[in-house]
Amino acid sequence: ELKVEQNPLFLSMQEGKNYTIYCNYSTTSDRLYWYRQDPGKSLESLFVLLSNGAVKQEGRLMASLDTKARLSTLHITAAVHDLSATYFCAAAAGGNEKLTFGTGTRLTIIP
Amino acid sequence: EPEVTQTPSHQVTQMGQEVILRCVPISNHLYFYWYRQILGQKVEFLVSFYNNEISEKSEIFDDQFSVERPDGSNFTLKIRSTKLEDSAMYFCASSGGSGFYEQYFGPGTRLTVT
């Protein structure tokens, strides 16, 4: 059974600082997803990583995937307040199948 | 930009009652999903649906749950006899379009069982 773990669960960062959220998964996975969720809102797709060594960047967020280590990272560069949200990673195996989500990282950016 | 829509946004029901949650997936998508999120917790998979049948379901998706695609656009989740522990946010998602593996989530239906 595929299991996904994220750390940290809570992260409070100062504006302008850099930090990384880690996502480990337990068995072979074909795809790794990152989503953002604002309080009371839905899940916004950020990245889909499909292969080992994949790196994607959008603004101050950069995601990478190491399938050998079964690890994905979400790196935040020069954080700004607008990035405050909960970030979930999710893994999938096989075809267009279910996503198994991590516990989420609640990110708070403080001035 | 196409999006997944869900109705209602909030449903309050009494324990033991039946509820139907409705979703309109993105029109050219082929795969449909229901997930749920209990307040403050992670998102949990319930069921996936492809080619007019269930392709996978979780342990949560017991006999009280059913899904249906009654026409070419709607995708519904029915809970036959709601329990207090069914209170959660229910998200519909779809995939299989041009961004083939990307799953797009709807805004969710908050179900409150009293």
Side-chain angles (χ1 to χ4, degrees):
Chain A
E1 180 189 346
L2 179 59
K3 293 185 179 177
V4 180
E5 292 186 354
Q6 274 180 253
N7 68 83
L9 297 182
F10 298 94
L11 178 56
S12 185
M13 315 173 43
Q14 282 191 317
E15 277 190 328
K17 300 291 188 183
N18 305 331
Y19 209 80
T20 301
I21 299 170
Y22 297 88
C23 175
N24 290 92
Y25 53 95
S26 60
T27 64
T28 301
S29 172
D30 295 324
R31 305 182 301 285
L32 198 292
Y33 298 70
W34 285 97
Y35 286 90
R36 168 181 171 146
Q37 186 179 41
D38 291 299
K41 301 293 185 181
S42 186
L43 295 153
E44 175 190 354
S45 178
L46 296 175
F47 303 107
V48 182
L49 304 169
L50 299 177
S51 59
N52 188 42
V55 177
K56 289 194 175 180
Q57 183 163 5
E58 181 74 34
R60 300 176 189 273
L61 301 178
M62 183 174 71
S64 66
L65 177 62
D66 181 344
T67 57
K68 293 179 183 175
R70 295 178 185 161
L71 170 69
S72 180
T73 60
L74 180 67
H75 187 72
I76 303 147
T77 302
V80 294
H81 179 71
D82 286 352
L83 292 179
S84 295
T86 298
Y87 292 84
F88 288 96
C89 67
N96 247 302
E97 295 178 359
K98 68 177 184 182
L99 299 184
T100 300
F101 281 81
T103 49
T105 296
R106 184 175 296 179
L107 174 64
T108 303
I109 309 296
I110 53 178
Chain B
E1 183 176 330
E3 59 183 17
V4 178
T5 59
Q6 289 184 244
T7 55
S9 58
H10 191 190
Q11 174 93 45
V12 181
T13 189
Q14 288 190 329
M15 196 167 51
Q17 295 296 305
E18 174 183 288
V19 294
I20 297 176
L21 310 183
R22 302 181 192 280
C23 168
V24 179
I26 294 173
S27 62
N28 64 340
H29 283 186
L30 304 173
Y31 301 84
F32 314 114
Y33 314 83
W34 284 100
Y35 294 84
R36 79 172 186 189
Q37 184 180 32
I38 294 171
L39 186 64
Q41 298 187 22
K42 68 178 179 181
V43 179
E44 300 174 291
F45 168 79
L46 294 178
V47 65
S48 58
F49 193 86
Y50 170 71
N51 201 25
N52 284 318
E53 61 183 21
I54 291 174
S55 50
E56 190 171 0
K57 60 183 180 180
S58 71
E59 291 179 353
I60 302 168
F61 195 89
D62 61 21
D63 292 345
Q64 293 301 311
F65 291 86
S66 63
V67 289
E68 193 178 32
R69 188 157 163 82
D71 52 42
S73 59
N74 290 284
F75 181 50
T76 62
L77 174 69
K78 181 193 291 186
I79 309 174
R80 288 189 184 82
S81 178
T82 50
K83 304 171 189 158
L84 293 176
E85 54 264 37
D86 293 328
S87 294
M89 183 74 94
Y90 287 80
F91 292 107
C92 173
S94 68
S95 68
S98 57
F100 191 72
Y101 291 114
E102 193 158 2
Q103 288 192 23
Y104 294 88
F105 283 73
T109 293
R110 179 166 296 284
L111 177 65
T112 302
V113 182
T114 62

